[in-house]
């Protein structure tokens, strides 16, 4: 298993879940590594292939540059699972067994619809996107804009710029965008780390609490910030389910069993009010008019965030 960098808490959650799930099987050894960039990933994937692993999970930095690695894995008869992304043209030809990814466009729409309602139909919004070639970030931001247009047709995304999933770069990018664009009503960030970078930029300009800030991923610190009201809301991505499902799907494939071409965990949005409801024992919360079940996994995640033990 080779993922993007573990300094992103959401990616580390996915890896930790895979490690925990593999630990439930006495005969399973999981080799899990993160990578600093695409070239580092290619090197580590090549090493995995040369070691003749029985299955390989990859969370690609770039869906085009990973193609030669998929070809090499196919030639070595190693089943490949794409984690938290999709690579076009790889299904049905032996390159990829399954893609494990939530509906990122719909996840972005949920956040956009909610914000549109909060803005009352109009407003000026900044969007911090992930890496330029990273499919999930592009789909989240696209979905967000679509959802925002549904409930706030007069709202305007005045700027949308990549910040490479990183807190420090998001601080720099947001600072520049705030300089170029006055009277901003809200900021949507493709992940929690970038939302924290945006928060620092808002604090520097004494705009904290005056600009609605939405994170994404549902990391422990992101949910904690939402509970405290620092973030207005946080998109919740169940990357831990992707990590666990990767192990289960790999074992099934090794046994000769068929697995779905796409495994799709749920995505939702939780606000400060939602987290207070869960704290009080709610078994479901209403998100944009629709109920979302609070299962044991989500409750445990929220409880940890509220307790401050991230």
């Amino acid at each position: 298993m080779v993922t993007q960098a573990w300094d992103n808490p959401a990616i580390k959650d996915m890896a930790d879940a895979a490690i925990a799930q593999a630990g439930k099987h006495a005969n399973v050894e999981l080799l899990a590594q993160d990578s600093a960039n695409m070239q580092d990933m290619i090197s580590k994937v090549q090493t995995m292939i040369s070691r003749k692993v029985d299955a390989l999970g990859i969370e690609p930095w770039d869906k085009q540059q990973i193609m030669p690695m998929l070809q090499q894995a196919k030639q070595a008869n190693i089943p490949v699972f794409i984690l938290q992304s999709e690579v076009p043209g790889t299904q049905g030809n032996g390159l990829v067994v399954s893609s494990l990814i939530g509906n990122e466009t719909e996840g972005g729409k949920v956040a956009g619809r909610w914000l549109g309602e909060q803005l009352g139909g109009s407003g000026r919004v900044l969007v911090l996107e992930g890496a330029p070639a990273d499919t999930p970030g592009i789909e989240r931001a696209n979905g967000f804009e679509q959802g925002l247009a549904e409930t706030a047709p007069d709202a305007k995304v005045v700027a949308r710029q990549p910040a490479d999933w990183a807190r420090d770069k998001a601080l720099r990018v947001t600072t520049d965008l705030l300089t170029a664009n006055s009277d901003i009503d809200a900021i949507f960030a493709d992940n929690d780390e970038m939302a924290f970078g945006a928060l620092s930029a808002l604090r520097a300009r004494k705009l904290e609490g005056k600009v609605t800030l939405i994170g994404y991923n549902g990391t422990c610190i992101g949910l904690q910030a939402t509970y405290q009201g620092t973030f207005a809301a946080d998109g919740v991505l169940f990357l831990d389910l992707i990590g666990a499902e990767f192990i289960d799907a790999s074992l099934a494939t090794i046994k000769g069993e068929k697995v779905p071409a796409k495994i799709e965990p749920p995505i939702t949005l939780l606000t400060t009010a939602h987290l207070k409801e869960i704290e009080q024992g709610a078994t479901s919360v209403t998100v944009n008019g629709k109920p979302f079940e609070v299962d044991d996994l989500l409750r445990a995640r929220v409880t940890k965030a509220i307790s401050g033990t991230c």
Side-chain angles (χ1 to χ4, degrees):
M1 176 184 191
V2 182
T3 71
Q4 295 181 17
W6 290 350
D7 57 6
N8 181 334
I11 305 305
K12 187 63 165 61
D13 285 347
M14 178 173 66
D16 286 345
I19 292 167
Q21 191 72 2
K24 297 177 182 179
H25 304 273
N27 60 340
V28 173
E29 179 187 6
L30 176 62
L31 306 175
Q33 293 183 312
D34 69 339
S35 57
N37 50 50
M38 192 64 215
Q39 290 307 310
D40 186 32
M41 174 170 282
I42 289 172
S43 175
K44 288 174 177 175
V45 169
Q46 287 177 326
T47 298
M48 295 280 189
I49 293 172
S50 68
R51 294 186 64 169
K52 300 183 178 179
V53 296
D54 295 302
L56 181 57
I58 305 172
E59 184 205 9
W61 287 95
D62 186 294
K63 59 188 176 183
Q64 297 302 324
Q65 293 184 56
I66 202 62
M67 287 296 288
M69 297 300 95
L70 302 183
Q71 294 284 359
Q72 289 183 28
K74 179 181 178 180
Q75 292 169 5
N77 295 315
I78 297 173
V80 173
F81 298 82
I82 298 297
L83 311 176
Q84 193 43 27
S85 188
E86 289 182 278
V87 180
T90 59
Q91 294 286 353
N93 55 13
L95 290 176
V96 170
V97 174
S98 181
S99 298
L100 293 82
I101 181 174
N103 188 332
E104 296 285 4
T105 300
E106 185 58 34
K109 283 183 179 179
V110 171
R113 290 176 188 131
W114 179 84
L115 178 61
E117 293 286 355
Q118 305 307 303
L119 292 176
S122 65
R124 293 167 55 81
V125 183
L126 301 179
V127 174
L128 298 177
E129 194 177 300
D134 199 322
T135 300
I138 294 169
E139 291 180 349
R140 282 176 207 172
N142 287 345
F144 172 79
E145 290 199 42
Q146 293 166 23
L148 181 65
E150 290 178 18
T151 55
D154 294 326
K156 182 180 180 181
V157 173
V158 297
R160 171 175 163 175
Q161 189 167 326
D164 296 342
W165 305 114
R167 187 180 299 208
D168 56 349
K169 184 164 184 179
L171 167 59
R172 296 193 298 273
V173 169
T174 305
T175 298
D176 291 343
L177 292 178
L178 290 173
T179 299
N181 301 277
S182 61
D183 300 324
I184 295 301
D185 297 294
I187 298 175
F188 171 73
D190 261 352
N191 76 343
D192 289 338
E193 286 298 291
M194 292 190 295
F196 279 111
L199 175 63
S200 295
L202 291 173
R203 284 175 172 168
R205 291 174 178 256
K206 302 188 186 312
L207 292 174
E208 181 181 4
K210 299 177 182 178
V211 174
T212 301
L213 180 59
I214 304 174
Y216 199 102
N217 271 349
T219 60
C220 185
I221 56 175
L223 290 175
Q224 186 179 75
T226 305
Y227 176 76
Q228 295 168 345
T230 307
F231 293 178
D234 200 25
V236 181
L237 181 63
F238 293 86
L239 280 178
D240 44 358
L241 288 180
I242 290 178
E245 287 283 359
F246 160 60
I247 299 300
D248 293 343
S250 295
L251 294 177
T253 300
I254 292 168
K255 294 175 183 176
E257 300 172 8
K258 188 173 179 59
V259 300
K262 186 173 182 179
I263 298 173
E264 190 174 299
I267 297 177
T268 192
L269 181 85
L270 294 179
T271 66
T272 303
H274 289 144
L275 294 177
K276 302 284 186 182
E277 292 175 30
I278 295 172
E279 183 182 30
Q280 295 301 314
T283 57
S284 70
V285 293
T286 301
V287 182
N288 294 339
K290 298 179 180 179
F292 189 87
E293 180 186 357
V294 180
D295 61 12
D296 291 342
L297 185 65
L298 179 56
R299 186 175 302 282
R301 183 190 289 197
V302 170
T303 299
K304 181 178 180 181
I306 291 174
S307 69
T309 56
C310 296

